[in-house]
Amino acid sequence: MGNKRIGFSTLSQKYVMALAGIFLMLFLVVHLTINLLMIVGDDGELFGEAVQFMITNPFIKIMEYVLFGGFLIHILLGVILEIYNYRARPIKYAKSLKTEKSRFSKYMIHTGVIIFIFLFIHFLNFFFVKVGFVPVPEYADSPHDFFPMAVVVFQNPLYSAIYLVALVFLGFHLKHAFQSAFQSLGLNHEKYTPAIKVIGTIYSIVIAVGFALIPIYFLFFYS
Amino acid sequence: MNITLKIWRQKNANAKGRFVKYNLENVSPEMSFLEMLDFLNEQLIKKGDDPIAFDHDCREGICGACGMYINGRPHGPEKKTTTCELHLRSFEDGSTIVVEPWRSKAFPVIKDLMVDRTALDEIIRSGGYISVNAGSAPEANSIPVDKHSSDKAFDAAECIGCGACAAACKNSSAMLFVAAKVSQLALLPHGKPEAARRVQKMVKKMDDLGFGGCSNTYSCQIDCPKGIDVEFIALMNREFFKAKVCKSKAK
Ligand code: SF4
Ligand code: FES
């Protein structure tokens, strides 16, 4: 009768999905804060110090593994849920007007896949250099000398365009994600939920626009 | 007014179905959607054709028996309206109306527009009994229920079990229905002793029956004829969490 599913109830999965999502959203805030140091106009000096702190601090080192775990769980559960849900309606409607109230909810798998592909490109540009999968380019002093790498990547209009497009989709993904995480954890209250929705919208715009400033800065304002 | 109908016809659960076109002339805009189908069925019977099978009972929006997917929405285009309370005036003269059964693995088609919604009853049954004191009514003030909770419980209890939430959901998830049933009891002192077991069993049953998983699209709330609020889904999530983390395993 029922579809095969992994050993946990869909509701438990929902909880884990929400918790992993919240963790990733917090990570984005940290990531953005540090990255914005690149565009303060000191040729990456402050940014370099922040990077130095991040790669030497033992807590951050542990968190890096947790972060990977978070990504992995979030992606796996997302894909499993999508397949499971697809199979819950073997015969589709001939005519269907979608009425989702959270508009981007319908496209979470699509925006998710785009972000996943982007993540791979992003890793090729930066993270894989750090861990040694990709050789350190000659203009960088060390595997974590990210500033010159960012300059080269973002002064390439193609890369900048890829980043900007990916960030738009990230914004869409986050727009649904933020309030959805609260709902999944059971935090829905007539007094606070409208505020959560507004904060979620602001959050997704701040993250997308904030990150977008970096390629824009290097492409147009840095020489 | 004149309308064209494209209706899903399927002989039985195993037969392959298809859409059949019917033209209806001179129908009154004041006809209800079900009256219109009755009218069409009379014509089909006179011609010796098989009438269209569809579920209905009270025809006043309280039993939850009726339910079809009309022009891309469960129960049609009107807000908070069951199929039986829908009228032809909600459609334009000369328009084509597509009518399909609920589509969900958990709701197999029995015939034409009729689906088997036993799954919803099974979920309720899996919740088990509710302990209430039999005998004479207790003294009202000995079980205080504040106004807010009783109002909310009543809001949840408005669910008529039609299944439109699962039909509307892109994931075919019955969360709104299950949430309404869990919440109406969770908000009241009656049945508290069984609360933890109830929510776990009902969620498990819902999964076992092949409904999809909720991804917070909220289309259920928009298409629910009783306007059940998704806040009850959050309430169920809380109940579930409490039960899983704080209580022993459900037997
Ligand atoms: S929650 Fe609404 S749509 Fe779902 S079964 Fe109950 S009344 Fe029907
Ligand atoms: S027939 Fe009873 S609700 Fe429509």
Side-chain angles (χ1 to χ4, degrees), chain A residues 1-3 5 9-10 14-15 84-85 88-89 93-97 99 101-102 176 179-180 183-184 186 188, chain B residues 69 72-73 100 103 105 166-167 169 171 207-208 211 213-218 222-223 230 234 237-238 241:
Chain A
M1 249 231 234
N3 289 321
R5 76 199 131 82
S9 70
T10 50
K14 214 164 133 79
Y15 258 90
Y84 179 74
N85 286 347
R89 177 164 295 141
Y93 290 110
K95 177 174 180 181
S96 174
L97 296 181
T99 48
K101 201 170 157 206
S102 180
H176 170 72
Q179 52 80 28
S180 180
Q183 166 80 1
S184 290
N188 181 326
Chain B
Y69 204 79
R73 304 270 306 268
E100 301 173 70
R103 296 279 188 212
K105 183 169 178 155
C169 176
N171 308 321
D207 286 346
D208 287 346
F211 290 105
C214 171
S215 67
N216 301 336
T217 75
Y218 312 139
I222 293 187
D223 279 337
V230 292
N237 293 353
R238 286 202 296 278
F241 184 77

Side-chain angles (χ1 to χ4, degrees), chain A residues 55-119:
Chain A
I55 57 172
T56 47
N57 187 304
F59 175 70
I60 303 288
K61 275 191 187 157
I62 298 169
M63 284 317 272
E64 203 166 24
Y65 290 103
V66 180
L67 180 62
F68 272 102
F71 264 113
L72 212 67
I73 290 171
H74 189 75
I75 293 167
L76 275 180
L77 280 183
V79 172
I80 290 171
L81 180 72
E82 187 65 24
I83 297 171
Y84 179 74
N85 286 347
Y86 184 81
R87 290 177 33 203
R89 177 164 295 141
I91 304 171
K92 312 288 172 213
Y93 290 110
K95 177 174 180 181
S96 174
L97 296 181
K98 290 299 177 196
T99 48
E100 286 84 10
K101 201 170 157 206
S102 180
R103 253 166 296 140
F104 296 112
S105 65
K106 199 177 140 195
Y107 305 108
M108 288 310 264
I109 190 74
H110 310 88
T111 49
V113 167
I114 293 171
I115 295 164
F116 183 69
I117 296 168
F118 163 73
L119 207 59

Side-chain angles (χ1 to χ4, degrees), chain A residues 24-26 28-29 174 178 199-208:
Chain A
L24 295 178
M25 287 192 279
L26 286 173
L28 282 178
V29 174
L174 293 174
F178 194 92
I199 295 169
T201 308
I202 295 172
Y203 170 84
S204 48
I205 294 173
V206 166
I207 292 289

Side-chain angles (χ1 to χ4, degrees), chain B residues 34 55-66 82-84 160:
Chain B
L34 299 188
D55 270 318
H56 61 100
D57 188 20
C58 71
R59 297 205 177 198
E60 54 178 356
I62 53 169
C63 75
C66 63
T82 53
T83 302
C84 57
I160 53 174

